[in-house]
């Protein structure tokens, strides 16, 4: 099964690029930029990753990314991830980035996006991995800042396939960003947002995302299972869910494997992703292996999860079909 998973053509749809910043690269960028980190070793740094819910994770996440300063830093970050992805036979990735986590500390938007973009182009040419960028707004900042970020992104619209919403969900419902999402849609961006697992008002937040905002996808979202009407809506609209089992295991009480099983049985387009693999240890391959182990999934079921993912990608039909054909070829 391990070999089957390794060889299966895979797709990553929920991956925060800043969450791929491994301790080794953090040290290297710290040295490069003259920033002293309060740890002597990689082990010491990892030992300080002490979180058990979303807010405590986010604190470590934002602290860690302060070493990212220049265009080459963002290039190196994305290139390191894409090399790892290629080594796991990830064929295509949609990658979140958090511009406000950088502009809020004085790093210009264009530095961030130019570094990421250059890595995506090099990875496609050199590694054969395709990727697109999704720009996330930080929901614990004001909606006006999100709108300003959206406007700042417009000159780079061709480099960004869609927008997302992340950071601390508590007290920051989708409705707060209704105007931002409306403008993003008008500008041609596709729409997703985090509906993090087991949040206060999870059900109402998911309802707002689906009914009021009209998202094209939901990040996480397993809590739809608590409301049959939401399941019906998600099925009727054919919305995909980007689940992240290992991440769930760190910030909630479990990997939510049974929920993922139920979603599969209901015919929801559920997918398996890695979220922040430098912090929740496990890239896509490890996440797929974890869910296989928990649910004893068959080869056909594992292939179906990857089919779901390629099907809900924000790629043109002919590219979706090409990746789906790779799965068919692998199975036969
Ligand atoms: N949820 C919300 N915000 C985040 C996450 C997440 O899983 N990862 C990075 N920022
Ligand atoms: Zn996430």
């Amino acid at each position: 099964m391990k070999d089957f998973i390794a060889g299966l053509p895979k797709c990553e749809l929920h991956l925060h690029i800043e969450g791929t910043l491994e301790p080794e690269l953090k040290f290297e960028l710290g040295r490069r930029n003259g920033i002293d980190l309060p740890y002597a070793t990689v082990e010491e740094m990892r030992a300080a990753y002490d979180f058990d819910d979303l807010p405590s994770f986010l604190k470590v996440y934002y602290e860690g990314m302060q070493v990212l300063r220049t265009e080459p830093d963002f290039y190196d970050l994305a290139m390191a991830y894409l090399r790892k992805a290629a080594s796991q036979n990830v064929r295509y990735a949609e990658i979140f980035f958090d511009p406000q986590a950088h502009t809020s500390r004085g790093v210009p938007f264009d530095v961030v996006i130019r570094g990421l973009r250059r890595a995506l182009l090099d990875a496609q040419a050199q590694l054969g991995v395709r990727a697109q960028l999704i720009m996330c707004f930080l929901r614990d900042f004001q909606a006006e800042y999100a709108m300003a970020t959206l406007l700042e992104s417009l000159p780079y619209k061709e480099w960004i396939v869609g927008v997302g919403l992340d950071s601390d969900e508590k007290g920051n419902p989708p409705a707060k960003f209704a105007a931002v999402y409306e403008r993003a849609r008008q500008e041609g961006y596709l729409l997703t947002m985090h509906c993090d697992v087991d949040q206060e008002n999870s059900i109402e937040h998911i309802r707002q995302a689906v009914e009021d905002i009209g998202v094209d996808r939901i990040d996480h979202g397993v809590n739809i299972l608590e409301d049959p009407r939401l399941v019906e809506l998600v099925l009727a609209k054919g919305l995909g869910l980007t689940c992240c089992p290992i991440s769930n295991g760190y910030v909630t009480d479990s990997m939510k494997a049974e929920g993922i099983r139920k979603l599969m049985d209901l015919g929801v387009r559920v997918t398996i992703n890695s979220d922040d693999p430098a912090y929740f240890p496990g890239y896509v391959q490890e996440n797929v292996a974890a869910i296989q182990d928990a649910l004893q999934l068959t080869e056909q079921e594992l292939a179906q999860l990857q089919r779901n993912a390629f099907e809900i990608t924000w790629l043109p039909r002919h590219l979706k079909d090409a990746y789906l054909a790779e799965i068919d070829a692998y199975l036969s």
Side-chain angles (χ1 to χ4, degrees), residues 25-311:
L25 183 56
K26 219 183 262 182
F27 276 117
E28 190 184 323
L29 298 181
R31 272 194 300 275
R32 186 188 292 176
N33 293 317
I35 300 165
D36 261 338
L37 297 176
Y39 314 102
T41 63
V42 164
E43 292 69 33
E44 234 181 74
M45 186 183 289
R46 272 195 212 283
Y49 290 176
D50 180 21
F51 38 76
D52 57 5
D53 58 10
L54 185 55
S56 54
F57 158 69
L58 290 168
K59 186 168 179 295
V60 173
Y61 171 76
Y62 291 122
E63 257 168 36
M65 65 178 79
Q66 306 214 10
V67 295
L68 293 162
R69 294 280 167 93
T70 67
E71 191 267 5
D73 299 345
F74 287 92
Y75 175 87
D76 289 347
L77 174 70
M79 211 52 195
Y81 164 69
L82 289 160
R83 267 192 218 101
K84 180 76 183 181
S87 78
Q88 295 199 339
N89 213 19
V90 169
R91 304 288 297 122
Y92 173 66
E94 284 172 10
I95 297 177
F96 296 133
F97 71 113
D98 284 335
Q100 293 167 282
H102 313 300
T103 57
S104 62
R105 54 188 179 85
V107 178
F109 186 96
D110 80 296
V111 162
V112 178
I113 192 147
R114 285 180 191 283
L116 298 176
R117 170 72 181 176
R118 192 160 62 85
L120 265 52
L121 292 178
D122 282 357
Q124 179 151 3
Q126 295 166 22
L127 307 168
V129 189
R130 186 186 302 273
Q132 299 197 90
L133 294 173
I134 298 175
M135 175 175 70
C136 285
F137 306 112
L138 301 189
R139 69 198 306 162
D140 43 2
F141 286 172
Q142 292 182 342
E144 290 75 15
Y145 189 6
M147 185 65 94
T149 301
L150 177 65
L151 298 180
E152 195 170 13
S153 78
L154 295 180
Y156 308 94
K157 212 156 77 170
E158 297 309 311
W159 297 355
I160 302 169
V161 66
V163 300
L165 186 67
D166 62 4
S167 206
D168 196 358
E169 184 166 333
K170 190 173 174 186
N172 297 299
K176 175 177 169 185
F177 297 93
V180 179
Y181 268 72
E182 191 46 45
R183 178 67 186 266
R185 184 203 312 279
Q186 284 168 13
E187 297 292 345
Y189 289 119
L190 291 163
L191 312 179
T192 187
M193 63 171 60
H194 277 58
C195 294
D196 267 287
V197 178
D198 294 349
Q199 293 291 300
E200 190 177 280
N201 297 329
S202 261
I203 292 301
E204 169 58 14
H205 288 190
I206 301 172
R207 191 205 63 72
Q208 288 177 11
V210 176
E211 286 196 312
D212 301 345
I213 307 277
V215 291
D216 300 295
R217 184 188 293 167
I218 299 172
D219 298 313
H220 297 294
V222 283
N223 293 89
I224 64 167
L225 287 164
E226 293 157 27
D227 184 347
R229 206 178 70 87
L230 280 180
V231 173
E232 278 309 307
L233 262 176
V234 163
L235 282 170
K237 290 173 177 273
L239 294 180
L241 267 55
T242 62
C243 295
C244 308
I246 295 178
S247 162
N248 292 346
Y250 276 80
V251 297
T252 78
D253 60 5
S254 82
M255 290 207 304
K256 304 294 175 187
E258 293 72 24
I260 289 169
R261 170 86 257 173
K262 278 203 197 95
L263 291 166
M264 292 172 71
D265 293 343
L266 288 163
V268 173
R269 289 162 155 176
V270 59
T271 66
I272 303 300
N273 307 276
S274 59
D275 213 0
D276 301 280
Y279 297 97
F280 311 129
Y283 287 77
V284 160
Q285 190 159 306
E286 290 79 18
N287 273 276
V288 171
I291 204 72
Q292 195 282 325
D293 188 51
L295 298 174
Q296 294 300 302
L297 299 176
T298 64
E299 292 183 355
Q300 282 301 329
E301 288 168 327
L302 291 169
Q304 184 59 43
L305 287 167
Q306 295 309 316
R307 284 198 186 98
N308 289 349
F310 286 114
E311 196 58 63

